[in-house]
Amino acid sequence: MFGRIFNPEAPLWQGVARIGDLVVLNILLIVASLPLVTVGAAMTALYDTLWRLHDGHGGGTTALFLRSFRANLRQATALWLIAAPLVLGLAASWLLLPFSELLLAKALVSIVVALVLPFPWFLQARFANPVRATLRNALLIPLVRLPYSLAALGIAAGFAALVVAVVNTLPAVLPPLLLGGWPMVAYATMPILNRAVSPWLPPSAPAA
């Protein structure tokens, strides 16, 4: 019995190790995003590392992240320089244009942006395409595979709601929850994103 409990291959310790991976990835994501212009490369490295961990690829978490960050820096930065003004402009519209007449339009645009937002980095991590093709696919796939993109958005929204609930009811629990940060959401959505792009994966690399 005790042998099974202390076996490093036991589900308990595998789960603890994965939580540790997510905490490390959250720290790496924050540090790599500090220059701001590198947010796209950091997000791509996050999804690339999570995909490799999810599919059982070897390698340490930090080494995988840094290798992917360097490999995707140029293209992911180009993607971010296109996406960032759109995201920041949408955020500014909520802060600076508090007009009820614009509420529906802003809400619809926000939903579309939230549906699309994970896909540029996930596609950059999974496929070797030019920036234009990655952007096109990142816009089309969430709409063509809408149930999957909605499911991924639902997980992100659920995590946000959980954070708000914890802040209002159990603030002492917030620091441990935030230790995992966005990598927890990204890891939870990994099987869904894999399913979303599965029609475009080669037969030798089926989606999870």
Side-chain angles (χ1 to χ4, degrees), residues 47 111 113-119 122 142 145-160 182 184-196:
Y47 279 101
I111 291 171
V113 170
L115 285 172
V116 170
L117 202 55
F119 281 88
F122 183 77
R145 306 283 284 175
L146 187 59
Y148 297 102
S149 52
L150 284 173
L153 178 59
I155 290 174
F159 181 78
W182 182 255
M184 284 199 305
V185 178
Y187 185 73
T189 60
M190 188 61 53
I192 298 171
L193 297 179
N194 271 334
R195 285 290 184 183

Side-chain angles (χ1 to χ4, degrees), residues 17-103:
R18 189 48 42 87
I19 292 172
D21 289 334
L22 295 177
V23 172
V24 170
L25 281 171
N26 192 36
I27 295 170
L28 291 170
L29 177 66
I30 293 170
V31 172
S33 299
L34 286 177
L36 297 183
V37 73
T38 56
V39 169
M43 290 290 288
T44 300
L46 169 67
Y47 279 101
D48 192 15
T49 305
L50 286 174
W51 161 57
R52 295 178 189 281
L53 292 174
H54 182 267
D55 280 11
H57 291 245
T61 302
T62 301
L64 288 172
F65 183 94
L66 295 177
R67 188 182 307 127
S68 179
F69 182 85
R70 289 192 296 267
N72 292 287
L73 181 59
R74 184 176 61 85
Q75 283 207 187
T77 299
L79 288 168
W80 174 242
L81 291 177
I82 295 170
L86 299 176
V87 174
L88 294 175
L90 180 61
S93 73
W94 282 101
L95 293 173
L96 304 177
L97 300 173
F99 306 123
S100 58
E101 298 85 355
L102 299 176
L103 182 60

Side-chain angles (χ1 to χ4, degrees), residues 113-171:
V113 170
L115 285 172
V116 170
L117 202 55
F119 281 88
W121 329 118
F122 183 77
L123 292 174
Q124 176 64 30
R126 295 299 312 266
F127 299 95
N129 283 324
V131 171
R132 180 179 296 180
T134 300
L135 280 175
R136 183 188 66 239
N137 294 337
L139 291 171
L140 292 178
I141 290 175
L143 301 179
V144 172
R145 306 283 284 175
L146 187 59
Y148 297 102
S149 52
L150 284 173
L153 178 59
I155 290 174
F159 181 78
L162 176 61
V163 170
V164 172
V166 166
V167 168
N168 291 329
T169 58
L170 294 169

